[in-house]
Amino acid sequence: MRDLATRDVIRKEMIGLLLLAIFIISFLFMEEIKNDSVFDNLPSSIMHVNTVFLSILIEAVPFILLGVFVSALIQTFVTEQHIQRLIPKNPFLGIGVVLFMGIIFPVCECAIIPVVRRLIKKGLPLHLGTVFLLTVPIVNPVVILSTFYAFRNNMEVVYGRIGLALLVAIIIGLIVYWVFRNKDQLRSHIEHGAHDHSHGITMSRWKQTVYHASDEFFDTGKFLIFGAFLASMFQVFINRNDLLALGGNEWSSTGLMMGLAFLLSICSEADAFIAASFGSTFTVGSIIAFLVYGPMLDVKNMLMMFAYFKTRFVFVLMGLITLTVFAVTMVYQFVA
């Protein structure tokens, strides 16, 4: 049994190393690869997929590294007692505290899932972890600043993005608390990030942090690479003009912009500049829906959620995010 587990760990590490090697080779030798005669007969769309794929990875990897190191620091230095002292025992007051923790955790959606998983393992209640997951990629200084620069002539989008994100997170946090009652929703097999790296040898906390970060990076990186590949396929082979033609009213344009946010999988620290390019085509409400929905749910973080959380919880959460963002945005458009 132990040999089987060891072989499984080795297999996963080999796959992770292989994927990393493909990424590094593609990144360092892309021009030589593109100019090789072998690729002369390939359709340009294939090379375009490769370019988009690498651009998504290059954009996301620094944030993934940030996320895994934050997660490793939490694993090494934060105890269950620290979490209990920080978070109020009242489940509703706890939501109020977690809503604004993005200010001290400036990570985007590319990096948030390992951090949330680690906090829940350390004792953060499930519904507060969900609120943290949904708000931090939006309510953090870097994302607020990028949204401000992209829409400095239309502050309604900036305030709308922050306000609706907080409202959606509160609603979903309350529903998760009511439905799941803090029952464990983490996958049990994702455990080796927490195993004892010392193997009986005294090891400094900083060295343990590096080991944990390394494990976490290979766990998360596999799903990031696959998600980036799917997102690049969507970006290249789906005609945006055909999609834009469908957004003729508030209902369809809101649904369409949410669909684009999911498929394009753009990092929340850069998505405001993409959204600004749609400003003359879609309503303000649908632009805000794009900016709220994408950081909460896109292709790459959906795959990461399936890797770290139980399947039923992920499907429920995906449904809640989709319905709540759409409903709140529609109400906003009719009231504003």
Side-chain angles (χ1 to χ4, degrees):
M1 191 72 179
R2 191 170 180 176
D3 290 341
L4 186 63
T6 303
R7 283 199 298 271
D8 188 49
V9 169
I10 293 173
R11 181 178 62 80
K12 289 179 179 178
E13 290 180 349
M14 291 299 293
I15 292 173
L17 287 172
L18 177 63
L19 292 173
L20 184 63
I22 292 173
F23 166 67
I24 292 173
I25 291 170
S26 301
F27 178 65
L28 294 178
F29 304 103
M30 179 47 54
E31 286 305 315
E32 289 81 354
I33 293 172
K34 285 168 66 177
N35 295 328
D36 194 296
S37 59
V38 173
F39 296 97
D40 287 347
N41 296 325
L42 285 178
S44 59
S45 58
I46 300 297
M47 299 308 292
H48 192 191
V49 167
N50 188 59
T51 303
V52 175
F53 169 71
L54 287 178
S55 67
I56 293 174
L57 282 186
I58 292 167
E59 182 185 59
V61 163
F63 297 107
I64 288 288
L65 287 172
L66 174 64
V68 298
F69 272 104
V70 170
S71 172
L73 287 170
I74 292 170
Q75 168 65 22
T76 308
F77 290 97
V78 178
T79 66
E80 288 79 357
Q81 290 73 27
H82 291 145
I83 299 289
Q84 289 167 6
R85 282 201 294 269
L86 179 65
I87 303 298
K89 293 186 183 302
N90 185 298
F92 306 109
L93 290 178
I95 290 178
V97 172
V98 173
L99 279 177
F100 296 99
M101 286 178 70
I103 294 171
I104 57 174
F105 281 95
V107 294
C108 63
E109 84 283 0
C110 305
I112 192 62
I113 292 175
V115 176
V116 170
R117 198 238 322 177
R118 186 66 63 197
L119 286 172
I120 292 175
K121 287 179 73 67
K122 287 287 184 180
L124 186 71
L126 179 67
H127 72 291
L128 299 186
T130 304
V131 172
F132 192 85
L133 176 73
L134 300 180
T135 54
V136 167
I138 299 174
V139 186
N140 78 62
V142 179
V143 173
I144 292 174
L145 198 60
S146 68
T147 309
F148 170 77
Y149 275 109
F151 291 95
R152 53 187 178 276
N153 295 322
N154 188 359
M155 292 301 291
E156 180 185 354
V157 175
V158 182
Y159 299 137
R161 182 181 202 184
I162 298 170
L164 292 194
L166 294 175
L167 179 59
V168 168
I170 292 171
I171 293 171
I172 294 177
L174 291 173
I175 295 174
V176 167
Y177 174 73
W178 179 65
V179 173
F180 293 97
R181 295 289 176 180
N182 204 29
K183 292 179 182 173
D184 182 18
Q185 298 299 320
L186 296 177
R187 284 191 181 276
S188 58
H189 72 279
I190 307 290
E191 289 291 342
H192 77 272
H195 76 229
D196 181 12
H197 288 284
S198 66
H199 300 290
I201 301 171
T202 303
M203 187 181 295
S204 72
R205 286 190 171 188
W206 290 110
K207 200 166 185 178
Q208 290 181 42
T209 301
V210 173
Y211 279 23
H212 282 298
S214 174
D215 281 341
E216 199 104 60
F217 180 74
F218 283 111
D219 270 341
T220 307
K222 295 192 290 284
F223 301 102
L224 170 70
I225 290 172
F226 188 56
F229 175 71
L230 289 180
S232 62
M233 295 286 283
F234 286 131
Q235 288 201 37
V236 172
F237 292 109
I238 292 181
N239 189 325
R240 288 195 203 184
N241 291 329
D242 292 340
L243 293 176
L244 296 180
L246 300 174
N249 57 53
E250 289 86 355
W251 296 88
S252 60
S253 63
T254 299
L256 178 61
M257 288 301 283
M258 288 171 61
L260 278 177
F262 177 80
L263 296 176
L264 297 181
S265 301
I266 303 166
C267 175
S268 64
E269 297 183 351
D271 62 358
F273 298 100
I274 303 298
S277 68
F278 295 118
S280 60
T281 308
F282 292 107
T283 62
V284 170
S286 60
I287 296 290
I288 294 173
F290 178 91
L291 294 171
V292 172
Y293 189 69
M296 293 184 177
L297 185 63
D298 63 21
V299 173
K300 61 181 186 299
N301 69 18
M302 176 190 70
L303 291 174
M304 290 185 205
M305 283 197 285
F306 274 117
Y308 289 136
F309 293 93
K310 292 179 179 176
T311 302
R312 176 173 173 265
F313 174 75
V314 177
F315 275 123
V316 171
L317 187 58
M318 288 172 61
L320 285 174
I321 294 172
T322 303
L323 293 174
T324 308
V325 171
F326 186 81
V328 168
T329 305
M330 293 311 301
V331 171
Y332 172 82
Q333 291 189 96
F334 285 112
V335 171

